[in-house]
Amino acid sequence: MENSKSENQIENLSEVLMVRREKLKNLQDEGKDPFKISKYNVTHYSDTIKENYDSLEGQHVSVAGRLMSKRVMGKASFMHLQDQNGRIQVYVKRDDIGVDDYKQFKTYDMGDIVGIEGYVFKTKTEEVSIHAEKIVLLSKSLQVLPEKYHGLKDVDLRYRQRYVDLIVNPEVKQAFLTRTKALKALRGYLDDLGFLEVETPILNTIAGGANARPFITHHNSLDIPMYLRIANELYLKRLIVGGFDKVYEMGRMFRNEGMDMKHNPEYTAIELYQAYADYNDMMEITENVISYMAEVATGSKKVNYQGTEIDFTPPWKRMTMEECVKEYSGVDFSTINTDEEALAIAKEKGIEITPGMRRGEVINAFFEEFGEDNLIQPTFITHHPVEVSPLAKRNVEDPRTTDRFEAFANKWELANAFSELNDPIDQKGRFEDQMRKRELGDDEAFEMDEDFLNALEVGLPPTGGLGIGIDRVVMLLTNSPSIRDVLLFPTMKPLTQNIEEDAEEEE
């Protein structure tokens, strides 16, 4: 019975689509093909008309947008037109636009794109509207928009067809407008500090700058494998070597890893580097710029995320990784000095032990297991072990740790920064240690980058570096439960693949 009902719905939908195509053909036969129109003069948007009614009353305006509702009442009709800034009511009267055009107007469908010329007035109910004097069909919609009251609710379909989502769920736009405001604030803040925005390669011959699995492609002319960048760190530090003292780059990074509510294979990050600065300077920039982004984009340094207030007002809390581990796991690694002792306590506490694991990696595993979930308010976790920080400068007082921090809020890592390792001999040893990890099966470990080592040998000044995960920050600023809600076009499995998998299951 259900199958029969579903088939009838599909058949009815197909009939509706055919009717729309027939309407288009009729227009084309009459020499009124909307797709031959290349330009339309728009003088005003819906919001500016409503906000400036007193000065625009009776004035002639020209607007364009999508037909979202239509109520025909004999010789007069009302419709709602939706443009990029909102919706506005339009009064369409047969005697004003002409009998033929009115007859044509009555055949318009929801979703059609139209141009309206007319004057601004208020209806008896005091709604600011446009009295149409001329109406033209600019584009015929051959698909059916979701029903007005049900909307597009299927989350998966919303991500796949973001263009429909933006039409029928206008509130979705707000997250992306907030994102734009936040990114403008970020760029403006750094520009005012004297940073230079630069561009570095997305296609790399070595996947370096972070512990991550890359996407691999092939360059036909050079006949070599290439990688989509997992980070832009090593190129930006080459620019510091070259004499640019303050640089930043914001753009897409690509990591061939899992997907969940806060991970997408391609995402937006910013990295910045400042010569003659250290990780303390990067902490100051981090808390100041993120709080500034929040204030500019939302009007406050405090945001409500899924019922929890998060206060980005500086200064943020600071803890070393070992202090965090001690507070939340009860294990004091200042009294544990050997790899053997660390592995024994890891086994006792149920921490997964991986091949070649050492004391520093155990501390990091303890932090991930016991510490991260307690970091709700913005917090800097500092002094990461050398073993998990291959590009960070060693701490002078405790060479087993580095001058590094990660910034957390809502249990998430938002930023990663350190005083950059500029000793080429130490850096080579760190790369060799990463190669050892690769041989033990860690496919996220670094590769040896000889050219970067050469750059360090030329001479990298003391430098502070910082990376911020833009999408996660925007999630917090927009109260978005998934990273897909702040990406216009998130990565999705092709529908054809789903269909093939379903067919295989049925067999």
Side-chain angles (χ1 to χ4, degrees):
M1 188 70 177
E2 280 296 320
N3 286 341
S4 176
K5 182 179 179 181
S6 177
E7 288 172 5
N8 288 336
Q9 289 175 336
I10 293 172
E11 184 177 341
N12 291 336
L13 182 60
S14 298
E15 290 176 3
V16 171
L17 297 181
M18 287 302 299
V19 168
R20 292 197 174 205
R21 281 159 175 74
E22 288 173 7
K23 288 181 180 180
L24 174 62
K25 186 177 184 305
N26 292 335
L27 287 169
Q28 292 169 334
D29 291 343
E30 295 171 12
K32 299 178 180 178
D33 187 349
F35 297 122
K36 288 187 177 181
I37 298 174
S38 300
K39 180 179 174 64
Y40 188 80
N41 181 39
V42 175
T43 63
H44 293 79
Y45 288 97
S46 57
D47 59 338
T48 56
I49 293 173
K50 290 186 282 189
E51 291 168 6
N52 299 280
Y53 174 75
D54 289 342
S55 61
L56 288 175
E57 182 183 10
Q59 297 296 310
H60 186 273
V61 296
S62 176
V63 298
R66 197 175 293 275
L67 175 60
M68 298 303 293
S69 71
K70 186 176 67 172
R71 184 160 48 100
V72 178
M73 302 174 296
K75 298 179 182 180
S77 303
F78 282 98
M79 60 167 278
H80 277 93
L81 177 141
Q82 178 171 296
D83 61 19
Q84 71 165 10
N85 294 348
R87 292 189 183 186
I88 191 164
Q89 181 173 261
V90 180
Y91 176 62
V92 185
K93 190 175 180 182
R94 186 188 68 178
D95 293 345
D96 291 329
I97 68 169
V99 175
D100 291 341
D101 285 349
Y102 188 72
K103 180 180 179 182
Q104 196 73 68
F105 164 75
K106 290 197 294 184
T107 69
Y108 290 177
D109 294 305
M110 299 308 103
D112 286 352
I113 297 175
V114 298
I116 303 288
E117 290 181 40
Y119 60 87
V120 179
F121 79 111
K122 275 186 180 179
T123 63
K124 292 179 180 178
T125 59
E126 293 294 298
E127 182 173 353
V128 177
S129 306
I130 299 172
H131 189 126
E133 296 173 312
K134 186 176 181 181
I135 183 167
V136 58
L137 181 65
L138 300 173
S139 182
K140 182 67 184 171
S141 176
L142 301 180
Q143 281 287 347
V144 178
L145 294 179
E147 292 180 35
K148 176 181 177 182
Y149 295 104
H150 297 291
L152 186 63
K153 302 300 183 185
D154 184 298
V155 175
D156 187 77
L157 189 58
R158 284 182 52 222
Y159 297 145
R160 290 183 188 280
Q161 296 185 10
R162 181 70 82 187
Y163 44 92
V164 179
D165 187 28
L166 292 168
I167 294 169
V168 301
N169 297 317
E171 68 278 3
V172 170
K173 281 186 178 179
Q174 189 56 51
F176 297 103
L177 294 174
T178 300
R179 180 188 180 106
T180 296
K181 289 180 184 177
L183 298 195
K184 283 185 177 180
L186 172 56
R187 280 192 166 97
Y189 185 91
L190 295 177
D191 292 343
D192 289 345
L193 288 179
F195 281 84
L196 175 71
E197 184 171 11
V198 298
E199 295 175 303
T200 63
I202 291 176
L203 281 175
N204 298 166
T205 54
I206 292 176
N211 292 101
R213 182 183 301 160
F215 285 94
I216 305 173
T217 186
H218 185 82
H219 192 292
N220 290 333
S221 295
L222 297 178
D223 193 24
I224 58 170
M226 297 195 79
Y227 307 91
L228 294 181
R229 68 181 178 193
I230 56 176
N232 48 7
E233 176 169 345
L234 302 186
Y235 279 108
L236 292 174
K237 285 196 278 195
R238 285 173 170 90
L239 295 180
I240 299 293
V241 171
F244 289 110
D245 283 355
K246 294 181 177 181
V247 296
Y248 74 89
E249 181 180 20
M250 180 154 45
R252 290 293 208 195
M253 306 299 156
F254 306 86
R255 300 191 180 183
N256 196 359
E257 300 171 343
M259 296 169 59
D260 57 32
M261 56 82 69
K262 58 179 181 175
H263 291 91
N264 193 68
E266 58 174 310
Y267 64 98
T268 301
I270 186 171
E271 292 200 26
L272 61 95
Y273 293 84
Q274 179 177 350
Y276 314 111
D278 66 5
Y279 78 114
N280 290 301
D281 297 300
M282 296 302 107
M283 266 192 271
E284 184 177 348
I285 288 177
T286 302
E287 61 189 4
N288 286 338
V289 78
I290 292 180
S291 63
Y292 180 65
M293 290 167 68
E295 188 168 28
V296 170
T298 71
S300 173
K301 293 180 180 179
K302 298 178 181 179
V303 301
N304 184 294
Y305 184 77
Q306 305 295 302
T308 299
E309 183 181 83
I310 298 175
D311 186 356
F312 288 113
T313 306
W316 296 359
K317 183 178 180 181
R318 289 158 167 75
M319 303 175 74
T320 69
M321 184 175 283
E322 287 191 18
E323 288 171 346
C324 184
V325 167
K326 181 179 179 180
E327 179 169 336
Y328 296 114
S329 76
V331 177
D332 185 359
F333 275 91
S334 67
T335 64
I336 298 172
N337 295 307
T338 67
D339 295 341
E340 291 75 19
E341 291 175 296
L343 290 169
I345 195 69
K347 186 175 181 181
E348 178 185 321
K349 294 290 186 177
I351 298 294
E352 181 183 358
I353 297 173
T354 58
M357 202 171 193
R358 292 163 296 177
R359 175 181 177 276
E361 288 146 341
V362 170
I363 294 173
N364 188 65
F366 264 79
F367 168 68
E368 291 178 349
E369 179 68 25
F370 298 104
E372 287 187 7
D373 283 351
N374 292 285
L375 305 178
I376 307 300
Q377 295 305 315
T379 305
F380 291 119
I381 299 298
T382 67
H383 296 86
H384 294 53
V386 169
E387 292 91 335
V388 296
S389 310
L391 296 170
K393 190 184 284 283
R394 292 177 190 268
N395 181 267
V396 174
E397 296 177 358
D398 182 1
R400 296 179 302 181
T401 67
T402 59
D403 289 343
R404 175 186 173 189
F405 72 80
E406 289 177 307
F408 285 82
N410 191 51
K411 310 177 186 178
W412 304 344
E413 178 195 341
L414 300 183
N416 183 29
F418 31 85
S419 298
E420 302 296 333
L421 178 58
N422 60 343
D423 179 345
I425 297 172
D426 191 356
Q427 184 63 81
K428 184 173 183 179
R430 307 273 192 98
F431 278 155
E432 289 172 344
D433 184 56
Q434 290 288 303
M435 296 297 289
R436 179 190 66 83
K437 290 183 178 181
R438 290 184 74 86
E439 291 171 1
L440 290 172
D442 184 354
D443 57 5
E444 294 186 356
F446 285 32
E447 297 181 45
M448 181 68 71
D449 190 334
E450 296 288 355
D451 183 73
F452 178 68
L453 290 174
N454 185 69
L456 292 187
E457 290 180 357
V458 171
L460 174 70
T463 298
L466 165 65
I468 300 175
I470 297 298
D471 303 316
R472 292 184 187 177
V473 173
V474 174
M475 285 175 66
L476 295 177
L477 300 187
T478 58
N479 194 26
S480 298
S482 170
I483 192 172
R484 295 182 176 187
D485 293 317
V486 298
L487 298 175
L488 282 168
F489 300 101
T491 303
M492 305 291 291
K493 181 190 291 186
L495 286 172
T496 52
Q497 186 175 341
N498 291 339
I499 293 170
E500 289 170 1
E501 289 175 356
D502 291 342
E504 288 175 3
E505 288 177 6
E506 289 178 5
E507 290 176 3

